Amino acid sequence: MKILYKENLVDIPGTKVTKIDIEAPHIAAKAKPGEFVVLMVSENGERLPLTVVNADVKKGAITLIFQEAGYSTALLGKMSVGDSLYSLVGPLGHATEIKNYGKVILVGGGVGIAEIYPVAAAFKKAGNLVTTILGARTKDILILEKELREASTELLVATDDGSYGRKGFTTDILNDLLSANKDYSLVYAVGPIPMMKKVAEATLPFKVKTVASLNALMVDGTGMCGCCRVTVGGHVKFSCVDGPEFDAHQVDWEELGKRNRVYIQKEKHICKLSLGGSSK
Amino acid sequence: MKEPVKIKERPSSERGSNFDEVVLGYSEAEALEEAKRCLQCKNPLCSQGCPVGIDIKKFIKEITEKDYKSAYLTIKETNNFPSICGRVCPAEYQCRKACVLTKKGSVFASDNAINIHFLERFAGDFGKDEQVVNPSKPRAALSGKRVAVVGSGPASLCCAGELARNGVEVTIFEGLHKTGGVLRYGIPPFRLPRNMLDFEIDHLKKIGVKIVTSFIIGKAKTLDEIFAEGYSAIFLGLGAGIPSFLGVEGENLCNIYSANEFLTRVNLMEAYKYPQFHTPVNIGKSMVVIGGGNTAMDAARVALRLQKMAGLEPDTTVIYRRTEVEMPARRLEIHHAKEEGVKFEFLVQPVSFGGDKDGCVSALKVLKCELGEPDPSGRRRPVPVKGSETDIECDGVVIALGLQANTLLTNVVPGLKVDKYKDIVVDPETMATSLEGVYAGGDIVGGEGTVIEAMGMGKKAARAIIDHIA
Ligand SMILES: Cc1cc2nc3c(=O)[nH]c(=O)nc-3n(C[C@H](O)[C@H](O)[C@H](O)COP(=O)(O)OP(=O)(O)OC[C@H]3O[C@@H](n4cnc5c(N)ncnc54)[C@H](O)[C@@H]3O)c2cc1C
Ligand SMILES: Cc1cc2nc3c(=O)[nH]c(=O)nc-3n(C[C@H](O)[C@H](O)[C@H](O)COP(=O)(O)OP(=O)(O)OC[C@H]3O[C@@H](n4cnc5c(N)ncnc54)[C@H](O)[C@@H]3O)c2cc1C
Ligand code: SF4
Ligand code: SF4
Ligand code: FES
């Protein structure tokens, strides 16, 4: 559980994204694209779910990439190479179904870009033509562009402010691709909830299978508490054991958005108390 | 005949704002007095009521003789953790109900029945405080043999202890970051102080049990891989970990918790010490707890404490669809809950939840019920009364409707026979599963039960495992 490597991918006011490699041979040996781990920074910490971005069996290490969203991710960001986490469990969740679909589109927004990376690489290896669309607020916070260019057949970028790639949203590019070409078999999206919702709306008229990896709040990550429950196609599912990937057309996005904000007051309070001002 | 000796308890006025233990136990004089009430029956019915058949008559006699060490060891013969069982065992449905002093035909023990559980606790705490050791008896045939125990609830702890005492090398794999299963994440510290649990687990470590936490069998390692590493047998004490929900409208509104989530946040993650501990829990001004078992009582008493700690006027109501006598909870917990200020509404059944604009729960719609014909469990079935809907205003809900089998492992092991509830099928004599060398016990066998039943199964499995590998 020792941190072997650490790199700041983005470090500008308001946005901090960090990559760490953690020693975890038993997880590295098993983790597949789409799976995640739950970690605790300290004994009094929260259980924090993060996607396994890369698993290096030889080194016995896994790579995590996280954005500082609140208190626990900020504490993780303060850890240095050589420090050990209090706990780390995984791999958890269902792995992505990797097969040759033909042509697929991956959409990554914000730190979700990190989460599509292993999926893109696996899809390409399985023989798919992989078109990857990356979205970021602005050029400075775009991550893993080089890596994803390698892991994809084609890479397209949208920034909200037009500082790089196309000005606009990932869904603008997605719409154009789907309108121009009818033979995409799968769209896979990870990013902020509003983005994933928009992706689902964009692909629905084209009847393309669309999968999103949800980031519901979690506690144990093993199906024991129901904190991560989401409504999919009118049925209650536990994200951690039934997902985290679901049919994006069936997800109740509004409910998920509300459930993920349920501790917002408390989180603001602990950040102010302990980190000296909001980390946002 | 003398009156039963009352147990000392922390006054309810002192319980509000902390998680300190409520039941304080017998002093030596009180234990002696209570033990003397036992009739030392020729045919002691009490033992037949105990799931592990503790020789109750004998240990009580030893208490009267002030031979507490022997009393402790007598209990230990069949029950590895007397201090724990003495605190959480539903004795009024088991040994005390069977005691001759209970009126024939009553649903649970009469007040007059011997307080066997309190005496057990007394002897257990004596053994613990005086560090009485139940000597190990390593067997040559078992030296160098390794057994993997999955999960660390009472079934697993008991199985591991029994194996280790016989000289087997045991490794426990637990998925969570701490050991104890429900004893850690479910039962609150005011019922089972954590030093009790830590003491037993430290003892296991002392006798050589290795403990690996944050390790999920079925995910990080398969059963086949465990065998390939040289383990001779595997015990599965996976528990019933999956919370049931009502399946009614509005159930995913914010601030509606399963009891497992609510209690895990508070007990395991220590949210009651927020922000010193970082896991939050939202506590409402009006909390409703749905259910009638131990879990519901624990959730309600935790909710009430959190309200008091947050400076709120305590307002926690338990909603149960039958009446108080049918509640499966321990009588003592119901009594304590009432004493502490938990309110009860009987004969009401949840229909749906209503929410506010932020998606948070704001009301629970219920139907009134009447008791109808007895159901297969022998308890009278609640029948909803048409048109009796009312709304209960609330801003926090805990659903405590029971738990189902934990399937993390069973879903991925081909050939492991499970029943329609996903519980593991075993041979009741040996706890052997359909897979050679794999045994199971606790709530994963036969569904949600009690701590002592789980321990009994763990012990039985340990004996069968020893026979299998010796
Ligand atoms: C299966 C899974 C995989 C994930 N993988 C990654 C990853 O690879 N990289 C990464 O940076 N993040 C990932 N997340 C999200 C990450 O777990 C959250 O950002 C983190 O829990 C926030 O904790 P915090 O205490 O720092 O922030 P908090 O103070 O708890 O929250 C700060 C803000 O973030 C929001 N938030 C909290 N938790 C989540 C969440 N789970 N999803 C979305 N918003 C949340 C809160 O509502 C609040 O607005 C993943 C989540 C899940 C469930
Ligand atoms: C809130 C609550 C209060 C209760 N109160 C009482 C009471 O007062 N008296 C009483 O007698 N009974 C009570 N019970 C019931 C009692 O706690 C259970 O019957 C008992 O704990 C079952 O023990 P177990 O060993 O089967 O498993 P559990 O205690 O459920 O433990 C199972 C453990 O296995 C772990 N696990 C599961 N799968 C894996 C895997 N694949 N790999 C690694 N680890 C895994 C889990 O994380 C868990 O820690 C209560 C239950 C609850 C929920
Ligand atoms: S273990 Fe439970 S049932 Fe058995 S004697 Fe002790 S209190 Fe009674
Ligand atoms: S049945 Fe009751 S009175 Fe008789 S031996 Fe057992 S505890 Fe004592
Ligand atoms: S996080 Fe607890 S059930 Fe999914």
Side-chain angles (χ1 to χ4, degrees), chain B residues 374-391:
Chain B
D375 66 8
S377 74
R379 297 179 303 172
R380 291 177 66 191
R381 198 191 298 271
V383 185
V385 179
K386 270 208 190 87
S388 66
E389 281 103 341
T390 45
D391 276 344

Side-chain angles (χ1 to χ4, degrees), chain A residues 26 30 40 43-47 71 75 91 93 224-225 227 229 231 255 258-259 262-263 266 270, chain B residues 177-178 215 219 225 241 243 251-252 255-258 260-261 265 274 276-278 281-282 357:
Chain A
H26 64 290
K30 294 279 172 156
M40 286 170 78
E43 191 175 358
N44 56 353
E46 279 183 281
R47 290 174 65 96
Y71 190 62
L75 282 187
M224 206 188 78
C225 75
C227 170
R229 61 196 195 274
T231 304
E255 177 187 278
K258 285 177 175 166
R259 285 186 65 81
V262 65
Y263 296 109
K266 284 219 155 69
I270 192 173
Chain B
H177 58 280
K178 288 206 166 144
F215 202 103
K219 287 283 185 187
E225 284 166 335
E251 203 165 20
N252 280 5
N255 299 328
I256 300 181
Y257 294 96
S258 74
N260 256 18
E261 181 185 350
R265 282 180 182 273
Y274 187 88
Q276 185 200 338
F277 281 68
H278 308 157
V281 67
N282 283 343
K357 63 173 187 352

Side-chain angles (χ1 to χ4, degrees), chain B residues 88 90 150-151 153-155 174-175 181-182 191 217 237-239 298 442-443 449-451:
Chain B
V88 303
V150 185
E174 166 58 50
V182 173
R191 279 217 288 137
I217 302 303
L238 311 174
D298 285 342
D443 284 0
T450 62
V451 172

Side-chain angles (χ1 to χ4, degrees), chain A residues 26-27 30 35 40 42-47 71-72 75 86-94 217-231 236-238 241 255 258-260 262-263 265-270 273-274, chain B residues 174-178 185 213-216 219-222 225 241-243 245 250-262 264-265 268-270 274-283 356-360 399 403 406 408:
Chain A
H26 64 290
I27 302 177
K30 294 279 172 156
E35 292 180 325
M40 286 170 78
S42 58
E43 191 175 358
N44 56 353
E46 279 183 281
R47 290 174 65 96
Y71 190 62
S72 295
L75 282 187
Y86 169 72
S87 77
L88 176 69
V89 64
L92 298 169
H94 282 290
L217 299 188
M218 292 186 179
V219 183
D220 59 303
T222 66
M224 206 188 78
C225 75
C227 170
C228 63
R229 61 196 195 274
V230 290
T231 304
V236 176
K237 301 280 178 193
F238 287 9
V241 286
E255 177 187 278
K258 285 177 175 166
R259 285 186 65 81
N260 269 13
V262 65
Y263 296 109
Q265 289 308 326
K266 284 219 155 69
E267 297 291 355
K268 274 190 195 143
H269 176 68
I270 192 173
L273 271 183
S274 315
Chain B
E174 166 58 50
L176 292 170
H177 58 280
K178 288 206 166 144
Y185 74 73
T213 51
S214 295
F215 202 103
I216 297 176
K219 287 283 185 187
K221 222 190 257 297
T222 63
E225 284 166 335
I242 301 186
F245 284 92
E251 203 165 20
N252 280 5
L253 286 163
C254 296
N255 299 328
I256 300 181
Y257 294 96
S258 74
N260 256 18
E261 181 185 350
F262 187 69
T264 297
R265 282 180 182 273
L268 178 70
M269 307 309 294
E270 303 185 62
Y274 187 88
Q276 185 200 338
F277 281 68
H278 308 157
T279 302
V281 67
N282 283 343
I283 191 77
D356 64 16
K357 63 173 187 352
D358 297 322
C360 294
I399 299 174
L403 301 165
N406 204 326
L408 266 181

Side-chain angles (χ1 to χ4, degrees), chain A residues 36 46 48-51 65-67 69-73 111 115 214-218 244 260-261 264 267 280:
Chain A
F36 64 97
E46 279 183 281
L48 190 69
L50 292 173
T51 304
I65 295 179
F66 60 95
Q67 174 157 13
Y71 190 62
S72 295
T73 40
V111 75
E115 300 177 53
L214 307 187
N215 52 5
L217 299 188
M218 292 186 179
N260 269 13
R261 295 176 57 82
I264 215 150
E267 297 291 355
K280 285 254 151 177

Side-chain angles (χ1 to χ4, degrees), chain A residues 170-193:
Chain A
T170 49
T171 37
D172 299 334
I173 299 180
L174 179 64
N175 236 318
D176 290 355
L177 288 177
L178 293 174
S179 310
N181 208 319
K182 299 275 175 272
D183 54 2
Y184 291 102
S185 336
L186 177 74
V187 173
Y188 183 96
V190 191
I193 291 168

